[in-house]
Amino acid sequence: MEWFRDHMWETWAALAVLLGLAELFSLDLILIMLAVGALAGLLTAALSAPVVAQMLVAAASAVAMLALVRPELVKKLHGGPELRLGHGKLVGQQGVVTELVTALEPGRIKLAGEIWSAAPYDETLTIAPGETVEVLQIRGATAYVHPIPKLES
C-alpha cells in the first residue's frame, strides 16, 4: 500500500492504460471516459495533491465526461446518413413516361437515365407518354408510379 502512495502518478497511468485497453474490447465509450478521469487523477498526482483530491478530481472528470462528452459521441457514431442501396434509392424520384402506362398493360418510363417497366400505383389511372411521374414503389423490375399534377398558368 505504501508503494501506491509513493507512486500515485504511475498508479493512475496504469489504471488509465488498463481502462483504455478494456475499452477496445467493450466499445461502449464508458471505460474510455473513466480512463480520462484516471488521466485527470494522474495530472493531480503529478502536482503532488493529496490522494483524496486526486480521487475527487478523477471522479469528477469521469462523471463530467460520461455526462457531457459521451452522449454526443454516441449520437455521432450511431446517427449517420441513411444508406439506400439498389433500386430502393429510386423511390421518390421523378421520371418521364415513354410508353402508355395502364393497370392492364405496363408501360415504360425513363428513370435515372434508364428505361424501366412501369405500372400505375393507382390501378384506375392511365398515364400518357410525356407525363412526369413519381416513383412510389418498386417491385421486382417494375416501378409503380403516380402522375405529378401540372400547374396550369
Side-chain angles (χ1 to χ4, degrees), residues 101-109 116-123 125 127 134 137 142-146:
V101 177
T102 67
L104 298 175
E105 186 69 32
R108 303 261 185 255
I109 63 169
W116 280 74
S117 138
Y121 191 76
D122 180 357
E123 295 175 355
L125 293 176
I127 307 169
E134 180 180 0
Q137 184 179 32
T142 304
Y144 287 83
V145 298
H146 191 75

Side-chain angles (χ1 to χ4, degrees), residues 78-125:
H78 294 290
E82 180 182 328
L83 296 177
R84 294 180 0 174
L85 302 173
H87 63 266
K89 65 183 175 185
L90 298 175
V91 173
Q93 289 193 5
Q94 295 180 2
V96 177
V97 176
T98 59
E99 290 180 20
L100 185 68
V101 177
T102 67
L104 298 175
E105 186 69 32
R108 303 261 185 255
I109 63 169
K110 186 167 187 168
L111 176 64
E114 298 178 343
I115 300 296
W116 280 74
S117 138
Y121 191 76
D122 180 357
E123 295 175 355
T124 62
L125 293 176

Side-chain angles (χ1 to χ4, degrees), residues 12-124:
W12 286 114
L15 181 61
V17 168
L18 288 173
L19 288 169
L21 288 173
E23 177 63 38
L24 292 175
F25 295 103
S26 74
L27 298 176
D28 285 333
L29 297 178
I30 293 174
L31 297 176
I32 197 70
M33 301 300 155
L34 298 178
V36 171
L39 289 175
L42 181 147
L43 290 174
T44 309
L47 296 173
S48 301
V51 175
V52 173
Q54 295 172 28
M55 288 187 203
L56 289 175
V57 167
S61 62
V63 167
M65 292 291 290
L66 285 168
L68 303 174
V69 176
R70 184 179 181 273
E72 288 298 318
L73 283 176
V74 169
K75 190 185 301 181
K76 283 187 180 185
L77 289 174
H78 294 290
E82 180 182 328
L83 296 177
R84 294 180 0 174
L85 302 173
H87 63 266
K89 65 183 175 185
L90 298 175
V91 173
Q93 289 193 5
Q94 295 180 2
V96 177
V97 176
T98 59
E99 290 180 20
L100 185 68
V101 177
T102 67
L104 298 175
E105 186 69 32
R108 303 261 185 255
I109 63 169
K110 186 167 187 168
L111 176 64
E114 298 178 343
I115 300 296
W116 280 74
S117 138
Y121 191 76
D122 180 357
E123 295 175 355
T124 62

